[in-house]
Structures are given as C-alpha cells and as structure tokens.
C-alpha cells in the first residue's frame, strides 16, 4: 500500500472511531431522556440499523454504562454512569471547597499550596494558591505527576488498598532526579509511616531544589479523595521544618475534609 493509501485508511479508521463514540453518547442521551428503551426504539430514533444499535448497547453494557431491565428487552442507564457522575461531582466539590482552605494555608506559610486528586496512576493538581514567599512561577494545574515522586502521590499510594498499591509499585518507578525513590521496598516502608504521621513528604524527588509535604482529604465516608500539598525550596523547607509544615498541612486537609462532610 502506498503512503497516501495508508493515510486514507488511517483517516477512515479515525473517522469511524469518532462516529462510534458519537453514537454511543447518543444512546446514553436517549436513555437519559426516556428512562428506558428497547433496541428497535433506539435504532429508529438514531436512524441506524437495529444491529448497529444492538452492537452499541452491547459495548456500553459490558462497561456497566447501560443495563437491561429483566426479560423485557428494555435498556436503562447503568451504575457506571452514576460512578462517572459521582466522580465528576466530587472533583468539582473538592476544587471549589479547596479554594479558601488552600489560600489560607498559602497566606499563612508563604509557600505554594496545591489540591490534587488521583487520576488512575497519577496525581493531578486541580487548585493552586501561591504564598508571598513562593519563588517559582511554575504552574502545575492540570499536570499529571508520578505518584512515587510527589508528596500528594505518596498520600494516595499510602491510602490505597494493598492490592491496588502493589499493582502501582510493580510498575517501573521512573527516576526524575538522583533523589527519586525507585526501589519499591524502600518506598513501601516509607508509605507505611504515612497514615500514622498524617502526611507524606518528598525532597528533591521530582525536581532538584523542591521539597513538598502533603496530607489526605477525606469524603464523608472516610475515603481519601484528594490531597493538599505545600511545596517550596530546599533552603527554606529544611528537614527540621518538614514535621511542622506537615502538621500545618494536615490541619488544612482536615478542615477541607470537614467541608466535604467527613466527621459531621
């Protein structure tokens, strides 16, 4: 096949994938509006063959996004949609509630404060506040960062189920600086201390010259849904200051947890 032919085939494949996604979303919108519907009803509303609608429903059902109502042949939205909606709602709530908490902490410490959430195998900052002494203008908002090399990531690892944590530690642990912990056994020992001390810390493990501490934020049911971190330069966040900063960060995380319904 010529290069032009390959490009044409790739273009058709990409176009087909987009069309499939668009149709799948349309199915979900139909079910959201109707409550429930059969294959024929969905196919007629979409203007597609019944087999196409059946195939789309099969894929969505396998992912838990739709379910079938007994033997009646009717489909409805599945629990998977609720999980997605719930996760989105939690992120929105955390990012909104974190604003005053993070700003107060940044004002009190003078350093950069972030609120992060877990995104599969990475920590993602969803809110950031800069203190008056912050020396960097780097914006971490929206960036995916490695769990093993960040204080927020270590918080998430420490509070995962043992099985999920071991899955993460079984993956190659990338080295970002000479101080990055890439030995799973060493990291495992460090993570074991996090719940008891109430915070996690990194020292030049993601970037040279950068120190950070982070503490867990909990939902109403006690599940860790976010982390608040404080980061600053090594010359200011010295080893003897880390426990003090960790305690201040943990107190702020507790306040955000209360705002999220924990302990109420």
């Amino acid at each position: 096949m010529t290069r032009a032919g390959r490009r044409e085939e790739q273009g058709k494949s990409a176009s087909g994938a987009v069309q499939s996604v668009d149709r799948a979303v349309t199915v979900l919108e139909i079910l959201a509006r109707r409550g429930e519907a059969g294959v024929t009803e969905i196919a007629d509303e979409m203007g597609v063959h019944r087999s196409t609608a059946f195939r789309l429903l099969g894929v969505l059902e396998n992912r838990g996004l739709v379910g079938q109502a007994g033997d009646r042949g009717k489909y409805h939205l599945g629990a998977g949609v609720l999980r997605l909606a719930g996760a989105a709602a939690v992120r929105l709530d955390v990012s909104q509630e974190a604003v005053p908490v993070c700003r107060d902490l940044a004002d009190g410490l003078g350093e950069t404060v972030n609120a992060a959430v877990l995104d599969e195998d990475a920590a993602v900052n969803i809110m950031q506040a800069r203190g008056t002494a912050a020396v960097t203008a780097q914006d971490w908002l929206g960036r995916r960062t490695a769990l093993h090399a960040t204080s927020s990531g270590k918080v998430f690892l420490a509070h995962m189920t043992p099985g999920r944590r071991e899955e993460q530690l079984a993956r190659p642990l990338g080295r970002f600086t000479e101080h990055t912990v890439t030995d799973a056994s060493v990291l495992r020992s460090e993570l074991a201390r996090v719940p008891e001390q109430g915070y996690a810390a990194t020292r030049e493990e993601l970037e040279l010259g950068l120190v950070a501490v982070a503490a867990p934020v909990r939902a109403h049911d006690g599940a860790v849904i976010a982390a608040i971190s404080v980061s600053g330069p090594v010359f200011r966040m010295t080893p003897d200051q880390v426990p003090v900063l960790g305690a201040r960060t943990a107190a702020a995380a507790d306040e955000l947890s209360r705002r999220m319904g924990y302990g109420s």
Side-chain angles (χ1 to χ4, degrees):
M1 181 182 293
T2 65
R3 182 177 300 176
R6 284 196 297 271
R7 284 200 298 268
E8 183 178 355
E9 288 298 318
Q10 291 171 352
K12 289 180 180 178
S13 177
S15 176
V18 171
Q19 183 183 52
S20 295
V21 172
D22 182 68
R23 285 176 170 177
V25 172
T26 300
V27 171
L28 296 176
E29 290 175 339
I30 291 172
L31 293 178
R33 186 174 66 255
R34 291 190 173 208
E36 63 176 22
V39 177
T40 301
E41 296 171 284
I42 292 171
D44 288 346
E45 183 164 339
M46 294 178 65
V48 299
H49 194 275
R50 189 176 185 278
S51 62
T52 300
F54 187 78
R55 185 170 61 253
L56 289 168
L57 286 163
V59 172
L60 292 171
E61 187 173 21
N62 286 337
R63 300 303 294 268
L65 297 176
V66 305
Q68 202 163 7
D71 299 326
R72 292 182 297 148
K74 298 282 189 177
Y75 288 85
H76 55 79
L77 293 178
V81 172
L82 296 177
R83 287 194 297 272
L84 293 175
V90 166
R91 285 197 179 196
L92 288 173
D93 288 344
V94 170
S95 63
Q96 292 169 358
E97 295 293 341
V99 172
V101 176
C102 290
R103 283 180 177 165
D104 285 348
L105 186 60
D107 289 342
L109 297 178
E111 306 292 359
T112 299
V113 176
N114 282 284
V117 295
L118 178 64
D119 186 16
E120 296 182 352
D121 61 347
V124 179
N125 291 323
I126 58 173
M127 192 275 157
Q128 182 171 268
R130 298 187 190 281
T132 55
V135 296
T136 177
Q138 188 165 14
D139 190 351
W140 291 94
L141 282 176
R143 286 183 55 181
R144 293 169 57 85
T145 53
L147 297 180
H148 70 286
T150 59
S151 57
S152 293
K154 288 182 180 181
V155 164
F156 295 132
L157 285 171
H159 291 89
M160 285 179 181
T161 61
R164 188 179 181 191
R165 180 166 55 247
E166 288 307 312
E167 286 181 6
Q168 295 290 335
L169 297 184
R171 300 177 180 180
L173 302 177
R175 181 174 294 281
F176 299 95
T177 74
E178 59 187 283
H179 304 289
T180 307
V181 180
T182 58
D183 186 321
S185 61
V186 173
L187 185 58
R188 195 177 289 113
S189 297
E190 181 182 343
L191 295 174
R193 297 190 296 270
V194 171
E196 181 178 353
Q197 67 186 15
Y199 66 89
T202 56
R203 191 169 190 80
E204 299 189 276
E205 295 171 40
L206 182 66
E207 285 189 356
L208 290 175
L210 183 69
V211 179
V213 296
V217 175
R218 299 180 183 275
H220 65 92
D221 59 357
V224 173
I225 55 172
I228 289 182
S229 68
V230 175
S231 58
V234 291
F235 64 83
R236 200 158 52 230
M237 292 182 64
T238 57
D240 61 324
Q241 282 295 310
V242 165
V244 177
L245 294 169
R248 293 280 297 273
T249 304
D254 288 344
E255 169 60 25
L256 182 52
S257 296
R258 284 191 290 273
R259 288 171 175 259
M260 298 305 296
Y262 181 62
S264 60

